[in-house]
Amino acid sequence: MTTTRHTSVRLTQFAHGGGCACKIPPGELEDVLGALSAPLPATAGTPLLVGLATGDDAAVIALPTQGDTPAQAVVSTADFFTPVVDDPYDWGRIAAANALSDVYAMGGRPVLAVNLLAWPRGVLPFELAREVLRGGLQVATEAGCHVGGGHSVDDPEPKYGMAVTGLADPARLLRNDTGRPGMPLSLTKPLGLGVLNNRHKATGERFEQAVATMTALNRDASAAALAAGATCATDITGFGLLGHLHKLARASRVTAVIDTAGVPYLDGAREAVRDGYVSGGTRRNLEWVAPFTDFGTTDDGTRVLLADAQTSGGLLVAGEVPGAPVIGELVPGGPHTLVLR
C-alpha cells in the first residue's frame, strides 16, 4: 500500500542517508572497535556480562545481589539516525522503537530513556523537532519506559534517537554468541524496509506497511522468545539480515543456513529493488558478507533484500517463536558462516 502525503517540509531531503542505512559500514566499524576493549578489574564489583567482544546489540552488566533481592542485570544502549521518513512524528516513533529494540533483543525490559537530538535550528522550524520528540515519547510510553530528558545540539543535519537503560534476568539473556547446531532460525518482521524507505526518500511515496512495521515494538517477540526458552537472538537493523546473522554465527562458531524461499518480505520490496532504490549501505552490507557467504544459486535481487539495511526491523531468534516464520537453521561450523539455499 502506498500513498503520497504532501507536506511543506520533506525531512529526508535534509539528510545524506536515512535511518539505519546511514550507519558506518560494519567492516570499518570493526576495524576501529577491535582495539578498544578494556575490561575493568574484577574488584570493580559490576561484572560486564556482554561488551564489545561479540558485537551484540547492547551492553549488559550484572548488579551485585543484596540479601534476598533477585539477581538483576542492567542493559544499556544508544541509537540515533537521520530522518528515515518525511513525517516528523513518524520519524520520532520509528527512532524510539528502534532504540528500544536493542534492549528487547537482549531479553530485557526498557525502563528509562533519554532523548538524543541534533537539529539545524536556522534551517528547520523547531516545531518539527517537537513533533519528533512527541513521537518518541508516544512509543516509549507504549513500552512502559520513562523518558527523563536528554541532550540536544545545533547540527547541520537532523538526527534523533535515544539512549535506553533496561533491566533483565542475567540467567535469561538473549545473546548472539549462544547459538548451537540444530537450532531453527525465526524472523519476527518481514524484510524490505530499506528499499521502501529509499524509494520514499527519492519519490515522496508513503508506504504505510513500512511505517507500521518500523513503529511496532519488539516487546512481544522478545517475551515470546524467552517463554520458548530461547537464549540466542539479535535484531535486524542497519547491517541487514545477512550482516547481523553473520555476526551471530561467527560469535556462536556455527554456520547459518537460510531457506531463501521462507524469508518474508514487505509488499513492494521486490519492485523497489527492481526499480533501483537500493541504498549504498545495503550494497556495503552485501560486499562485507560476500567472503563469508555461500550464495548458491540465489538471484541478485534476493541477495540485495537479504542484505537490505533495515530500520527498526524484527528479531532473529535461534529457536521457534509462535507466529514467526522459520527461515533456516544453525549447523556445525563450516568454511562459510552463511549458506543460502
Side-chain angles (χ1 to χ4, degrees):
M1 174 183 175
T2 69
T3 60
T4 302
R5 177 175 292 186
H6 299 286
T7 59
S8 58
V9 177
R10 292 200 58 209
L11 285 175
T12 57
Q13 304 309 296
F14 291 84
H16 74 284
C20 290
C22 66
K23 278 188 173 182
I24 292 174
E28 294 179 23
L29 191 61
E30 288 191 345
D31 288 344
V32 171
L33 297 178
L36 293 183
S37 181
L40 292 173
T43 53
T46 51
L48 183 67
L49 301 181
V50 181
L52 282 173
T54 60
D56 219 322
D57 295 296
V60 184
I61 61 167
L63 293 180
T65 56
Q66 296 181 355
D68 296 330
T69 303
Q72 281 194 313
V74 174
V75 184
S76 182
T77 185
D79 211 310
F80 62 95
F81 46 65
T82 53
V84 67
V85 293
D86 290 325
D87 185 278
Y89 178 71
D90 283 345
W91 176 31
R93 293 196 297 149
I94 292 165
N98 183 74
L100 294 165
S101 179
D102 283 342
V103 174
Y104 294 130
M106 303 301 299
R109 173 176 60 90
V111 294
L112 176 64
V114 291
N115 290 310
L116 304 172
L117 177 70
W119 201 257
R121 293 174 50 254
V123 178
L124 288 175
F126 216 70
E127 342 24 313
L128 295 181
R130 181 167 56 242
E131 282 299 288
V132 175
L133 295 172
R134 186 172 72 89
L137 178 62
Q138 188 275 324
V139 165
T141 300
E142 180 186 345
C145 178
H146 294 288
V147 178
H151 184 67
S152 61
V153 296
D154 190 347
D155 191 280
E157 191 172 52
K159 304 175 184 71
Y160 174 65
M162 288 178 165
V164 186
T165 301
L167 296 174
D169 181 344
R172 301 184 67 218
L173 292 175
L174 298 174
R175 305 171 55 126
N176 72 355
D177 62 351
T178 53
R180 298 294 179 264
M183 290 181 171
L185 293 169
S186 301
L187 182 64
T188 67
K189 287 184 183 181
L191 303 182
L193 293 164
V195 291
L196 291 179
N197 289 339
N198 212 34
R199 186 164 201 154
H200 170 70
K201 178 179 172 67
T203 68
E205 294 173 88
R206 180 176 167 86
F207 298 93
E208 298 292 351
Q209 69 274 29
V211 174
T213 298
M214 290 185 288
T215 55
L217 292 170
N218 281 326
R219 173 185 55 199
D220 294 345
S222 178
L226 289 171
T231 61
C232 180
T234 187
D235 65 348
I236 306 303
T237 56
F239 300 153
L241 174 67
L242 294 183
H244 289 284
L245 183 51
H246 164 64
K247 292 174 67 176
L248 183 152
R250 182 181 61 184
S252 297
R253 300 184 179 182
V254 295
T255 289
V257 178
I258 301 174
D259 173 14
T260 57
V263 178
Y265 301 103
L266 288 166
D267 290 344
R270 285 199 176 274
E271 291 79 5
V273 172
R274 178 199 64 199
D275 295 340
Y277 295 104
V278 180
S279 69
T282 291
R283 297 200 183 280
R284 289 190 293 270
N285 289 342
L286 193 56
E287 180 181 357
W288 180 56
V289 300
F292 314 106
T293 305
D294 175 359
F295 288 103
T297 59
T298 307
D299 64 88
D300 290 343
T302 299
R303 295 183 190 191
V304 167
L305 283 171
L306 292 174
D308 189 38
Q310 305 298 279
T311 296
S312 193
L315 299 186
L316 179 70
V317 180
E320 292 195 42
V321 177
V326 172
I327 65 163
E329 65 175 334
L330 301 179
V331 300
H336 298 93
T337 57
L338 304 174
V339 176
L340 308 190
R341 293 287 184 261

